[in-house]
């Protein structure tokens, strides 16, 4: 398969330059970072970008069979306190201490200019995050994430690469990868149409679209196949 190349992203060379890149494109509204930990990257983004950043993280230790990573061994209350004292002090930053799916339910589809996925990197987890957050990014926005590699060792089970290539295959677009192992997609009208078609045809698990009439309740509507057990508050 010959992927379409994203020439529009060639000026984006690493993730720390995303602020000026977004501003140049007029994307200065809202963004979500899914997986924040201490908030170091969020602080960089907030220094270089004028929009509102929502930082999503459970900040909670999880069973190792669900999340195997050295970060999961940290005292998450201490980590959260440091995030509060850092990026959390910025009036343009909102910390959402909750699951990725629950947080996504707080945004209308197409509300975000940019999403950056950097949470649980197990393939099943990143697949779910992709299906959850793609609809939240507006057409013309940027959909991205970190750690574009496969790594299984004593510190982590991480395979975002497989999930990214699955998305790339489904929408026939080559991911733009920067030297910091971040991956990027320009959500063009063509890419979004291909995403929806892939969900309908079963080549992707099914995009998760939220009904936000009640902002305190997560209600999900699938494009195609969807495991309703994932819809946990």
């Amino acid at each position: 398969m010959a992927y379409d190349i994203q020439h529009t992203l060639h000026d984006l060379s690493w993730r720390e330059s995303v602020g000026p890149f977004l501003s140049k494109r007029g994307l200065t509204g809202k963004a979500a970072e899914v997986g924040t930990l201490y908030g170091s990257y969020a602080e960089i983004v907030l220094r270089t970008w004028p929009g509102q950043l929502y930082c999503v993280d459970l900040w909670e230790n999880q069973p190792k069979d669900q999340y195997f990573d050295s970060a999961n061994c940290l005292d998450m209350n201490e980590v959260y306190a440091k995030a509060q004292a850092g990026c959390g002090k910025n009036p343009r930053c909102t910390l959402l201490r909750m699951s990725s799916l629950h947080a996504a339910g707080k945004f209308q589809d197409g509300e975000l200019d940019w999403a950056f996925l950097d949470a649980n990197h197990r393939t099943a987890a990143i697949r779910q995050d992709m299906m959850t957050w793609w609809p939240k990014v507006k057409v013309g926005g940027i959909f991205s994430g970190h750690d574009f590699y496969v790594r299984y060792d004593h510190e982590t089970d991480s395979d975002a690469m497989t999930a990214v290539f699955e998305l790339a295959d489904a929408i026939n677009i080559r991911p733009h990868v920067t030297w910091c192992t971040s991956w990027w997609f320009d959500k063009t009208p063509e890419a979004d149409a291909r995403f929806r078609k892939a969900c309908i045809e079963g080549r992707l698990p099914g995009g998760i679209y939220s009904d936000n009439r009640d902002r305190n309740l997560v209600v999900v509507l699938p494009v195609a196949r969807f495991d309703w057990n994932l819809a946990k508050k």
Side-chain angles (χ1 to χ4, degrees):
M1 177 186 296
Y3 289 135
D4 290 347
I5 299 173
Q6 302 182 97
H7 297 288
T8 55
L9 300 181
H10 279 185
D11 290 339
L12 186 58
S13 59
W14 67 323
R15 68 176 187 159
E16 292 190 10
S17 64
V18 72
F21 179 83
L22 293 172
S23 295
K24 186 176 180 180
R25 291 180 58 140
L27 299 173
T28 56
K30 299 178 182 179
E33 180 192 32
V34 183
T36 297
L37 203 60
Y38 291 108
S40 302
Y41 182 50
E43 290 189 68
I44 293 171
V45 172
L46 290 163
R47 285 199 298 267
T48 59
W49 181 68
Q52 182 72 31
L53 181 63
Y54 295 84
C55 293
V56 178
D57 202 305
L58 269 177
W59 282 292
E60 178 181 297
N61 294 107
Q62 301 166 62
K64 289 185 178 180
D65 62 345
Q66 297 178 23
Y67 180 37
F68 183 73
D69 191 90
S70 58
N72 199 26
C73 299
L74 300 171
D75 183 323
M76 284 300 170
N77 287 323
E78 291 184 2
V79 173
Y80 181 58
K82 290 183 178 180
Q84 286 179 303
C87 63
K89 284 189 172 181
N90 192 311
R92 292 186 293 105
C93 182
T94 300
L95 303 183
L96 298 176
R97 192 176 189 179
M98 58 187 67
S99 71
S100 172
L101 183 58
H102 191 178
K106 295 186 176 295
F107 298 96
Q108 299 286 345
D109 295 339
E111 186 172 348
L112 301 177
D113 289 332
W114 171 50
F116 189 78
L117 308 182
D118 194 14
N120 189 337
H121 286 20
R122 280 191 166 180
T123 304
I126 193 68
R127 280 188 190 123
Q128 178 180 318
D129 280 347
M130 285 180 166
M131 298 302 103
T132 301
W133 289 94
W134 176 279
K136 302 305 170 187
V137 176
K138 67 172 64 174
V139 172
I142 301 297
F143 186 70
S144 60
H146 198 215
D147 297 327
F148 183 73
Y149 53 68
V150 178
R151 180 182 168 194
Y152 293 95
D153 57 27
H154 66 285
E155 291 187 341
T156 188
D157 286 357
S158 183
D159 186 3
M161 180 180 287
T162 293
V164 171
F165 273 130
E166 288 172 352
L167 176 61
D169 286 342
I171 64 176
N172 195 36
I173 294 175
R174 189 175 74 182
H176 177 71
V177 180
T178 48
W179 67 268
C180 55
T181 72
S182 296
W183 51 268
W184 311 82
F185 288 99
D186 192 345
K187 187 175 174 180
T188 62
E190 295 79 12
D192 192 44
R194 291 171 185 173
F195 176 90
R196 292 170 180 268
K197 182 179 180 182
C199 291
I200 292 169
E201 294 176 349
R203 291 181 287 114
L204 287 175
I208 302 172
Y209 291 80
S210 299
D211 179 346
N212 293 291
R213 287 172 293 183
D214 181 348
R215 288 264 173 164
N216 295 316
L217 178 67
V218 178
V219 181
V220 293
L221 301 173
V223 170
R225 294 179 292 116
F226 175 61
D227 182 355
W228 288 96
N229 292 319
L230 297 179
K232 297 179 181 178
K233 292 177 65 178

